């Protein structure tokens, strides 16, 4: 392991765990901010003084924010990020210091949300994670909930909770192998080692690497691009891809789902789109204008 990786644990300890000193902002009801930028819902974790660790109250607000995203017809794409230059250092493990309180808040699947909040929620529309700084432990799991991840060149991913016996129970062991393959996923899961942005790009863990401090504007630019497409068709194709990856029992099952859901948009979007191409000459020569 290189010298940079050797130095990371001491830095990450400050990131994965928060101090017992609470600032006023951590007591605020605005642990999660929601802002609309035209048709893009910006969702931010607002605990920068603790590297955006997620406690129970923050998880509750995160879940509410994504439920609002699902139900808001004007919100076409969501962008998730962390305030203060850190995506999220995971679950706030000081909440686990009280065993009784911790266990009462852990809900089985089907009985309540995951510890990080929206990790068991089926998002109906695209979401992009804009990653700056650390996306580790539960923060990594939150980033995996996104359809795409845009990371700045200094971003760091990892299962840092490996060092302290904290399991991945927000979908990390399911989504990570699906995204990057079992071998690479086990490398991260078993070792807990830090993965820098360029390696994450090579793995397929992130989709774009941008200059330091540019992850959020780059994610907004990508989200804006998605808002320009016919939305119903894009959502049906997205849903079919997820079904094929997670739920379909066979190729035939996946093909049936794809057709049954996709055929519904032929009249509403495909035929009007084909007419624009044929008669208005839109999109000729591969143009997206």
């Amino acid at each position: 392991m290189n010298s940079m990786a050797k130095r990371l644990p001491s830095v990450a300890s400050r990131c994965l765990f928060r101090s017992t000193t609470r600032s006023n902002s951590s007591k605020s009801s605005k642990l999660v901010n929601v802002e609309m930028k035209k048709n893009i819902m910006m969702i931010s974790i607002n605990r920068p003084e603790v590297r955006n660790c997620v406690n129970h109250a923050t998880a509750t607000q995160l879940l509410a924010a994504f439920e609002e995203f699902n139900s808001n017809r004007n919100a076409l794409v969501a962008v998730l990020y962390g305030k203060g230059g850190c995506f999220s250092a995971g679950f706030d493990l000081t909440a686990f210091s009280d065993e009784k309180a911790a266990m009462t808040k852990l809900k089985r699947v089907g009985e309540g949300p995951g510890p990080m909040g929206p990790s068991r929620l089926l998002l109906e529309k695209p979401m992009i994670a804009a990653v700056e700084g650390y996306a580790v432990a539960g923060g990594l799991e939150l980033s995996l909930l996104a359809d795409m991840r845009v990371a700045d060149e200094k971003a760091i991913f990892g299962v840092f909770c490996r060092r302290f016996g904290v399991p991945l129970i927000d979908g990390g062991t399911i989504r990570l192998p699906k995204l990057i393959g079992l071998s690479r996923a086990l490398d991260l899961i078993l070792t807990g080692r830090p993965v820098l942005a360029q390696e994450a790009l090579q793995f397929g863990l992130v989709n774009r690497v941008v200059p330091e401090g540019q992850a959020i504007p780059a994610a907004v630019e990508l989200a804006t691009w998605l808002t320009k497409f016919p939305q119903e068709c894009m959502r049906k194709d997205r849903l079919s891809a997820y079904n094929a990856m997670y739920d379909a029992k066979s190729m035939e099952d996946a093909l049936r789902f794809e057709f049954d859901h996709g055929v519904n948009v032929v009249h509403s979007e495909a035929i009007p789109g084909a007419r624009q191409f044929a008669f208005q000459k839109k999109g000729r020569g591969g143009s997206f204008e």
Side-chain angles (χ1 to χ4, degrees):
M1 187 175 290
N2 61 34
S3 59
M4 182 177 184
K6 290 179 181 178
R7 292 198 301 270
L8 285 171
S10 61
V11 178
S13 295
R14 298 197 299 272
C15 196
L16 183 59
F17 299 102
R18 65 183 181 86
S19 74
T20 55
T21 303
R22 297 173 182 260
S23 72
N24 290 334
S25 60
S26 67
K27 297 178 181 179
S28 168
S29 61
K30 288 292 185 180
L31 300 173
V32 174
N33 292 330
V34 176
E35 176 189 2
M36 289 296 298
K37 286 189 175 182
K38 295 184 178 179
N39 294 115
I40 301 168
M41 181 173 284
M42 305 294 295
I43 301 173
S44 58
I45 306 171
N46 187 30
R47 301 187 77 207
E49 75 283 358
V50 292
R51 303 295 203 278
N52 294 316
C53 286
V54 172
N55 59 11
H56 180 67
T58 310
T60 300
Q61 291 186 29
L62 266 177
L63 177 60
F66 278 104
E67 288 176 334
E68 179 184 347
F69 170 61
N70 265 348
S71 63
N72 187 332
R73 298 183 65 180
N74 294 321
L76 304 183
V77 183
V79 172
L80 175 65
Y81 67 101
K83 292 283 191 179
C86 183
F87 183 77
S88 174
F91 193 77
D92 188 343
L93 294 184
T94 58
F96 270 44
S97 60
D98 183 335
E99 181 179 357
K100 183 177 180 180
M103 294 306 295
T104 59
K105 288 182 170 61
L106 292 177
K107 305 296 183 182
R108 292 182 178 275
V109 175
E111 296 179 358
M116 294 293 290
S119 58
R120 298 173 185 170
L121 187 66
L122 176 62
L123 296 180
E124 299 173 4
K125 296 172 283 189
M127 189 263 275
I128 301 168
V131 180
E132 297 178 344
Y134 288 92
V136 297
L140 171 64
E141 292 182 286
L142 271 184
S143 77
L144 299 178
L145 184 63
D147 298 283
M148 291 181 280
R149 283 150 294 283
V150 177
D152 82 8
E153 59 191 357
K154 299 296 185 181
I156 298 168
F157 300 83
V159 185
F160 282 18
C161 50
R162 177 59 53 236
R163 300 167 297 162
F164 303 101
V166 179
L168 297 173
I169 52 176
D170 279 279
T173 64
I174 296 99
R175 294 188 176 101
L176 192 60
K178 293 286 189 181
L179 284 173
I180 65 174
L182 180 61
S183 179
R184 284 174 168 168
L186 286 175
D187 182 355
L188 273 65
I189 291 169
L190 297 180
T191 69
R193 69 179 180 86
V195 174
L196 307 187
Q198 286 298 331
E199 185 181 9
L201 181 64
Q202 294 170 8
F203 275 10
L205 179 56
V206 303
N207 303 86
R208 311 277 193 280
V209 174
V210 297
E212 184 177 4
Q214 294 302 305
I216 297 170
V220 171
E221 182 180 3
L222 181 56
T224 301
W225 182 269
L226 298 186
T227 65
K228 296 178 180 180
F229 295 128
Q231 293 297 300
E232 187 179 1
C233 177
M234 184 174 67
R235 291 175 193 172
K236 296 295 186 183
D237 285 349
R238 173 185 176 273
L239 181 63
S240 180
Y242 275 105
N243 175 74
M245 179 60 71
Y246 291 102
D247 295 329
K249 298 178 181 179
S250 65
M251 182 68 169
E252 182 181 357
D253 187 29
L255 287 169
R256 183 179 295 108
F257 185 97
E258 179 188 62
F259 180 84
D260 289 347
H261 287 75
V263 73
N264 295 329
V265 302
V266 169
H267 290 288
S268 61
E269 292 184 349
I271 291 176
R275 287 172 176 165
Q276 288 180 349
F277 178 84
F279 303 121
Q280 300 176 27
K281 297 185 178 181
K282 288 188 176 182
R284 296 294 177 93
S287 172
F288 277 78
E289 297 300 326

